[in-house]
Each structure stands twice: as structure tokens, then as C-alpha cells.
């Protein structure tokens, strides 16, 4: 693998121990994937932030990198943490967990990482341009960056994302290269796809069909004529969760779709396929639901506005988490949405989400509009699930 003189100096330890370790990680990764060189990245997004996932082993590695003089060379933000940094007691998070989570954030802070914890960094300033090389880690955000924005990133792990942050580099392989961005499968959708659960079900149906494929799986999805930002973030979260997909194209909607010919391999998805995908995520009865959450991926201001409209003058009867980033919550505060939502008894779970927070054993069944949240609610916390349209989730919280 060719390294520039500057990259060789980093590898030789001339910029300190942490940066040397970071270059060792990246060159090892490059060798494994056959990269010929490194490329500069414009931004980084790091996952593996919740202390519940990191534990002491992960935390001590972060501390070693911070103590070793690691400093970010590009704009870097974090995935959700295990708690709302300012409001964790209201969410039932213990003081012991909070202390450990603060140690994690402190290590990132010492390295110059912007400790805004969110899976939708593109909503508040970590927004790459078309064609820009980046190194992001959260699977839904990686898919959104590749597919919707047309930026270029592999799905990084926590250590490789941090290594990219400390060096400003990543090995040139995978979705950074033109040849791996070409569609490999034509998915013809013959069903109405309009609301978030429809897009989530579409992602699940595609993912279920292509899971057995290896290599770079890039669906070109035809038959979807409209999708807003929120629909697309739902699709990205779902298709990444169920199919490991990091890039798709939709003619007329995503920026690279017109650059490619239709792939020869194809499959058709009908309304029946989407209904089946939804049914598989509806394992709880209405009576069993004792936890409601919206914001997987983290909510946009438009979605919070809609929740405020629906909750105005109402009272929630179940634990209801509104998960979003702190900058978006700040805008909701200013617009008066937060006051309406909290007066109704719902809770903001800012900086975190219903998947990475340590809530196993606290609830029986989750109602949500997110196919990804359904997957992890069961896989991680053993909750039953109800997948509903956005407005109905809010109504469910008030039943
Ligand atoms: Fe984001 Fe948590 Fe869902 S990280 S995509 S809200 S599982």
C-alpha cells in the first residue's frame, strides 16, 4: 500500500503514540481490503459511544488514545450515548451508569471530538457534500450519506472511525471506489410506499431477500416516486439493519441513480411482501404496549413539530421517549414544541435512544414507527413490538 511521506511519518510515531496506533489500524485495514492508498476524509462520525456497549475494555482503549495525545484532524461527531447527558434521572438511568458514560464522553472530548451524540449528524452541521470522502460508522447514517447525499463512506467500526478522525485518512476501498457504487440488483416495487413504516417495511423486505448475497450489495429501487427526508432516513435505517446495505439508488430521488444502467438481476416486491414484513414486526397487542418511542433514527425538527401538534392539550398514559440530537432539541425548545410535549407528559431522551440506553427488563412491548427500532427492541432487550404510522404512535401513547 502506497503511503505519502506525511502518512509514513504518522506511522513512524512522529505525531505521537495515539496517531501512530491510528495509522497502524488504518494500514492493517487497507491491507486486508486490498487498498492501494489512503484518501483524505472531510468528516468522521464515531459509533460505540454508549458505556453499555463499550464497557471498561472499550473505555480504557479510548483513555489510552486520549492520554497518548490523540487529537482530531477533521470535524468529528458521535453516535448516541447510553443516556441523555442532562436529563438522565428522568429516564431512570442510574448514577453509576451516568458516571461511566461521562468518563467515555470526557475521553472523546479530550481528543477534540464534538460530543454531540446523534445518528442524524447531517441534520445539524456534519453534512458532507456530494462525492466527498468521509469515514462514518452508524449504519443508518452511512447509508444516508452514501445513498441520499452521494458522499462516500464504508461502514466504519468504532476504532477505525476514531483512527480516521486522528489522522484525517481512510484506506481507499469499498464504497470510496466508483466500481463498488454500481447497482447490483434491480428491485421493482409494485406497492404504495408513502409513510415511514412503509419505507421501513421496504427496507426489511429487501434486506430479507438479499441477506444471503456476499460482496457489495447495491439495490437500485424503482417504483418509489416520492420520499421526504424522514422517509429516506427510515429506509436507510431499515435496509442497513436487515440487509447490511450501505448504498442504494432510487431514480428521480437519489443523486447517483441516473449514472448507472439497470442491473440484470432483479426481484419484484408487492404490497403483500410489504404487509408481511410489517406483520412480522407486529408481535405485541395494543394492551401489552407499555413503552412508546419515536426517533429511530433521531427526529428532525419537522417530526418534533408534528408530535407537538398531536400532543397539544393531551396527556400521555405510557412512558413515551422522544429521541433526538441536542441541537435539534434546542430548536424545539425555542419554537415552544418542547413545552407542549413535556406538558403532555412525554419525555425527551436527547443524546440517546431506546436501543443504546440500558433499559433491558423495564418494559414488555414497544410501539414505534421504526422497523430498525423493532429489530433491536427484540434482539437486544427482548421487548415485543408494534410498528405503526408516526401519528398513530403518538395516539397509542395517549390510549
Ligand atoms: Fe439511531 Fe439508535 Fe436508531 S442510534 S438509528 S436511534 S438505534
Amino acid at each position: 500500500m502506497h503511503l505519502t511521506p506525511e502518512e509514513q511519518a504518522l506511522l513512524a510515531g512522529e505525531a505521537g503514540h495515539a496517531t501512530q496506533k491510528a495509522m497502524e489500524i488504518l494500514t492493517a485495514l487497507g491491507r486486508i481490503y486490498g487498498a492501494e492508498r489512503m484518501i483524505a476524509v472531510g468528516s468522521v462520525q464515531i459509533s460505540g459511544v454508549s458505556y453499555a456497549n463499550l464497557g471498561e475494555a472499550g473505555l480504557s482503549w479510548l483513555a489510552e488514545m486520549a492520554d497518548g495525545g490523540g487529537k482530531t484532524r477533521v470535524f468529528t461527531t458521535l453516535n448516541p450515548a447510553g443516556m441523555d447527558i442532562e436529563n438522565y434521572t428522568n429516564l431512570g438511568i442510574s448514577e453509576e451508569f451516568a458516571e461511566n458514560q461521562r468518563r467515555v464522553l470526557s475521553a472523546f472530548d479530550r481528543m477534540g471530538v464534538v460530543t454531540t451524540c446523534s445518528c442524524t449528524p447531517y441534520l445539524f452541521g456534519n453534512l458532507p457534500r456530494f462525492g466527498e470522502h468521509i469515514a462514518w460508522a452508524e449504519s443508518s447514517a452511512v447509508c444516508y450519506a452514501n445513498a441520499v447525499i452521494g458522499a462516500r463512506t464504508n461502514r466504519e467500526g468504532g476504532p477505525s472511525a476514531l483512527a480516521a478522525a486522528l489522522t484525517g485518512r481512510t484506506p481507499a476501498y469499498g464504497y470510496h471506489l466508483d466500481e463498488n457504487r454500481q447497482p447490483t440488483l434491480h428491485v421493482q416495487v409494485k406497492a404504495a410506499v408513502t409513510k415511514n413504516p412503509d419505507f421501513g417495511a421496504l427496507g426489511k423486505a429487501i434486506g430479507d431477500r438479499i441477506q444471503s448475497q456476499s460482496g457489495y450489495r447495491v439495490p437500485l429501487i424503482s417504483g418509489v416516486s416520492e420520499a421526504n427526508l424522514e422517509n429516506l432516513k427510515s429506509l436507510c435505517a431499515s435496509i442497513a439493519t436487515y440487509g447490511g446495505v450501505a448504498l442504494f439508488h432510487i431514480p428521480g430521488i437519489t443523486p447517483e441513480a441516473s449514472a448507472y444502467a439497470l442491473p440484470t438481476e432483479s426481484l419484484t416486491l408487492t404490497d403483500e411482501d410489504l404487509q408481511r414484513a410489517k406483520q412480522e414486526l407486529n408481535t405485541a397487542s395494543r394492551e401489552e404496549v407499555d413503552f412508546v418511542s419515536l426517533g429511530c433514527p433521531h427526529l428532525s425538527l419537522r417530526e418534533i413539530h408534528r408530535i407537538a401538534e398531536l400532543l397539544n392539550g393531551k396527556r400521555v398514559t405510557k412512558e413515551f421517549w422522544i429521541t433526538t440530537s441536542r441541537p435539534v432539541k434546542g430548536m424545539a425548545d425555542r419554537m415552544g414544541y418542547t413545552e407542549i410535549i413535556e406538558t403532555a407528559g412525554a419525555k425527551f431522551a436527547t443524546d440517546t435512544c431506546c436501543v443504546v440506553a440500558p433499559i433491558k427488563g423495564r418494559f414488555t412491548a414497544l410501539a414505534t414507527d421504526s422497523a430498525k427500532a423493532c429489530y433491536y427492541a427484540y434482539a437486544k432487550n427482548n421487548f415485543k413490538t408494534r410498528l405503526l404510522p408516526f401519528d398513530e404512535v403518538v395516539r397509542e401513547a395517549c390510549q
Side-chain angles (χ1 to χ4, degrees):
M1 184 176 178
H2 172 75
L3 296 182
T4 64
E6 188 193 348
E7 289 160 356
Q8 284 173 5
L10 299 183
L11 189 58
E14 290 179 21
H17 173 72
T19 314
Q20 182 178 30
K21 282 260 164 242
M23 272 310 276
E24 286 171 3
I25 290 170
L26 296 177
T27 49
L29 206 55
R31 270 196 299 275
I32 290 167
Y33 288 100
E36 293 176 0
R37 62 188 175 95
M38 296 281 176
I39 37 176
V41 293
S43 77
V44 172
Q45 193 254 1
I46 298 176
S47 66
V49 179
S50 172
Y51 179 77
N53 297 336
L54 278 172
E56 276 306 305
L59 176 53
S60 76
W61 184 74
L62 287 177
E64 182 192 331
M65 297 299 270
D67 292 343
K71 287 280 177 235
T72 57
R73 289 173 182 238
V74 290
F75 185 57
T76 302
T77 59
L78 292 177
N79 217 30
M83 64 182 204
D84 185 314
I85 295 158
E86 295 178 4
N87 193 26
Y88 55 90
T89 45
N90 196 29
L91 302 178
I93 305 295
S94 72
E95 198 54 54
E96 184 190 356
F97 182 89
E99 183 49 35
N100 286 325
Q101 185 64 73
R102 280 193 288 263
R103 290 164 63 212
V104 171
L105 295 175
S106 160
F108 281 123
D109 184 51
R110 283 195 287 145
M111 289 187 272
V113 175
V114 178
T115 53
T116 286
C117 304
S118 177
C119 49
T120 56
Y122 45 86
L123 293 179
F124 58 84
N126 193 351
L127 177 63
R129 63 167 169 76
F130 178 84
E132 185 173 6
H133 295 279
I134 58 175
W136 285 18
E138 153 58 31
S139 65
S140 66
V142 163
C143 193
Y144 193 94
N146 273 323
V148 181
I149 299 171
R152 296 184 169 215
T153 180
N154 292 312
R155 185 187 174 188
E156 303 294 342
S160 67
L162 179 60
L166 301 187
T167 61
R169 302 281 197 283
T170 196
Y173 73 96
Y175 296 104
H176 293 285
L177 306 180
D178 289 343
E179 60 264 34
N180 297 321
R181 300 182 69 84
Q182 311 227 7
T184 59
L185 174 71
H186 180 199
V187 178
Q188 300 184 63
V189 181
K190 298 196 184 306
V193 183
T194 57
K195 296 184 172 165
N196 285 355
D198 304 330
F199 283 89
L202 176 60
K204 180 179 184 322
I206 295 172
D208 288 348
R209 294 280 195 99
I210 66 173
Q211 249 180 5
S212 56
Q213 293 183 345
S214 59
Y216 295 100
R217 295 161 300 175
V218 183
L220 186 142
I221 305 167
S222 64
V224 175
S225 54
E226 275 190 45
N228 64 18
L229 182 155
E230 290 79 6
N231 301 147
L232 290 167
K233 75 179 166 72
S234 285
L235 174 59
C236 290
S238 175
I239 202 167
T241 298
Y242 291 97
V245 170
L247 169 64
F248 59 80
H249 304 292
I250 306 179
I253 291 179
T254 64
E256 287 174 68
S258 60
Y260 304 108
L262 280 183
T264 47
E265 190 183 344
S266 75
L267 68 86
T268 300
L269 293 175
T270 63
D271 204 40
E272 203 178 304
D273 294 310
L274 267 52
Q275 291 309 326
R276 190 180 318 115
K278 284 182 197 167
Q279 274 163 15
E280 286 169 5
L281 299 178
N282 271 302
T283 56
S285 65
R286 167 168 280 172
E287 294 69 38
E288 286 176 303
V289 171
D290 55 356
F291 182 38
V292 178
S293 184
L294 284 170
C296 175
H298 272 176
L299 293 169
S300 65
L301 188 64
R302 177 162 56 184
E303 289 174 312
I304 296 174
H305 179 210
R306 181 65 185 150
I307 295 170
E309 282 181 336
L310 292 166
L311 284 182
N312 199 0
K314 304 238 170 47
R315 282 296 297 174
V316 303
T317 57
K318 302 178 175 86
E319 181 85 358
F320 184 9
W321 286 16
I322 315 289
T323 65
T324 192
S325 65
R326 193 151 297 279
V328 170
K329 161 82 164 31
M331 290 190 280
D333 294 349
R334 175 175 289 198
M335 294 304 296
Y337 307 154
T338 302
E339 193 179 349
I340 294 169
I341 289 167
E342 291 184 338
T343 300
K347 298 172 181 175
F348 273 88
T350 313
D351 319 306
T352 188
C353 76
C354 66
V355 169
V356 296
I359 54 173
K360 188 165 189 171
R362 276 180 56 190
F363 305 106
T364 302
L366 168 73
T368 176
D369 71 334
S370 165
K372 174 174 180 173
C374 289
Y375 177 90
Y376 283 105
Y378 177 70
K380 187 162 177 272
N381 293 326
N382 212 21
F383 298 159
K384 292 182 176 180
T385 53
R386 261 169 84 73
L387 179 72
L388 300 169
F390 191 91
D391 289 9
E392 284 183 40
V393 173
V394 179
R395 288 189 199 106
E396 186 96 359
C398 301
Q399 293 284 330

